[in-house]
Amino acid sequence: MRKVGERLLELIYPPRCAVCGELLTMEEREGFLCGDCRKVPYLAAEKCPHCGGSTEGGFCEACLKEFACSRVWAAFSYETVRDAIHLFKYEGDQRIGKGLGRLMGIYLRQREPFSAERAEVLLAVPLHWKKENRRGFNQTHILCEEIAAETGIPFQREGLVRKWDTAAQSTLSHAERRENLRDAFSVTEDFQGKRVLLVDDIFTTGTTCNECARELYRAGAAEVMVFALAAAGQQ
């Protein structure tokens, strides 16, 4: 039986669907998806999340050449989970974040079992501490916690840090994004010879993940794979 505090919290902040953000009915509240999203609208495995071209899973070979990572893929298109991401990141609904993270973990187990087994450590794209304090939480840490619970991949909260509070990437051009993140990240733990699965919430141009991957490779990582909640490419 649920605690009284949990029931009161639901009265103030009614549970919402982890995919579309719609309010859940009383019958749906034991889960984290509404009836319309019960069949999870994951990205099609045969379609590149970046360019929309044909692929056997994840980014196609042509797109992958743009990045330092060995493999990049996303669970959803951005349009599919846009409302849920907004509620999670900007309105503080961490229950939606946990539901999204759980769906990412299920995606890994079911659609990327080889990559899930290959990864030795789970890392989150870091927020600067000032931004984390303003928001009250690190959204990518919440995703990683749920992925780790679903897959068993160890989540290392520390080890990759953002050295300064950079401007929001969404406000910048492609060239400005690269300059904005130049030398912005630092590796503070030993990843020598490790196969790293780097997790981000939204993959747009890939500049942030690319810079993180470069630093990890410089620190001796054997492989860096990137897994995003959503890709904002062509669908």
Side-chain angles (χ1 to χ4, degrees):
M1 188 173 179
R2 291 181 301 166
K3 296 177 181 178
V4 173
E6 292 177 351
R7 294 198 297 271
L8 288 174
L9 188 63
E10 286 190 0
L11 291 174
I12 302 170
Y13 302 105
R16 293 177 178 270
C17 175
V19 169
C20 69
E22 288 296 313
L23 288 172
L24 297 179
T25 66
M26 293 301 295
E27 293 76 17
E28 295 165 342
R29 290 186 182 188
E30 292 303 318
F32 51 92
L33 296 174
C34 68
D36 290 341
C37 295
R38 194 63 53 83
K39 186 178 185 303
V40 184
Y42 287 131
L43 273 171
E46 68 278 2
K47 198 172 185 181
C48 175
H50 193 238
C51 71
S54 298
T55 178
E56 294 181 359
F59 281 29
C60 65
E61 290 185 10
C63 289
L64 197 57
K65 288 178 181 177
E66 299 179 27
F67 307 107
C69 336
S70 67
R71 184 162 174 73
V72 183
W73 68 98
F76 300 96
S77 70
Y78 176 67
E79 288 301 313
T80 299
V81 291
R82 177 180 56 189
D83 292 343
I85 288 175
H86 183 87
L87 288 166
F88 172 34
K89 288 179 67 172
Y90 304 114
E91 296 190 25
D93 194 333
Q94 295 183 39
R95 287 178 296 183
I96 283 184
K98 290 178 180 179
L100 289 168
R102 183 176 173 189
L103 290 172
M104 290 176 76
I106 293 169
Y107 179 101
L108 269 181
R109 285 195 294 100
Q110 294 181 350
R111 302 195 177 200
E112 289 286 341
F114 175 78
S115 299
E117 291 173 7
R118 187 173 179 79
E120 297 176 286
V121 60
L122 198 61
L123 281 180
V125 169
L127 278 180
H128 189 268
W129 64 267
K130 288 183 179 179
K131 184 171 288 184
E132 185 170 344
N133 285 347
R134 288 196 296 269
R135 182 167 293 163
F137 60 94
N138 183 327
Q139 74 275 5
T140 318
H141 279 182
I142 291 173
L143 298 177
C144 282
E145 287 166 359
E146 297 301 317
I147 294 169
E150 281 289 333
T151 65
I153 305 170
F155 171 38
Q156 189 162 333
R157 297 180 68 89
E158 309 298 334
L160 182 63
V161 299
R162 190 181 293 248
K163 293 187 287 187
W164 51 78
D165 194 7
T166 54
Q169 289 289 89
S170 59
T171 66
L172 306 175
S173 69
H174 189 65
E176 288 171 335
R177 287 173 187 238
R178 290 198 301 270
E179 188 60 33
N180 184 47
L181 293 178
R182 190 183 300 278
D183 298 321
F185 300 100
S186 178
V187 176
T188 59
E189 299 290 341
D190 182 14
F191 294 104
Q192 186 71 38
K194 293 288 183 68
R195 293 190 294 270
V196 177
L197 181 58
L198 181 66
V199 175
D200 202 2
D201 53 359
I202 306 169
F203 193 104
T204 307
T205 64
T207 306
T208 302
C209 290
N210 210 36
E211 289 301 314
C212 289
R214 290 181 188 280
E215 287 302 316
L216 287 164
Y217 279 126
R218 290 189 188 107
E223 183 178 11
V224 180
M225 301 172 281
V226 171
F227 182 32
L229 166 62
Q234 300 177 31
Q235 302 310 325

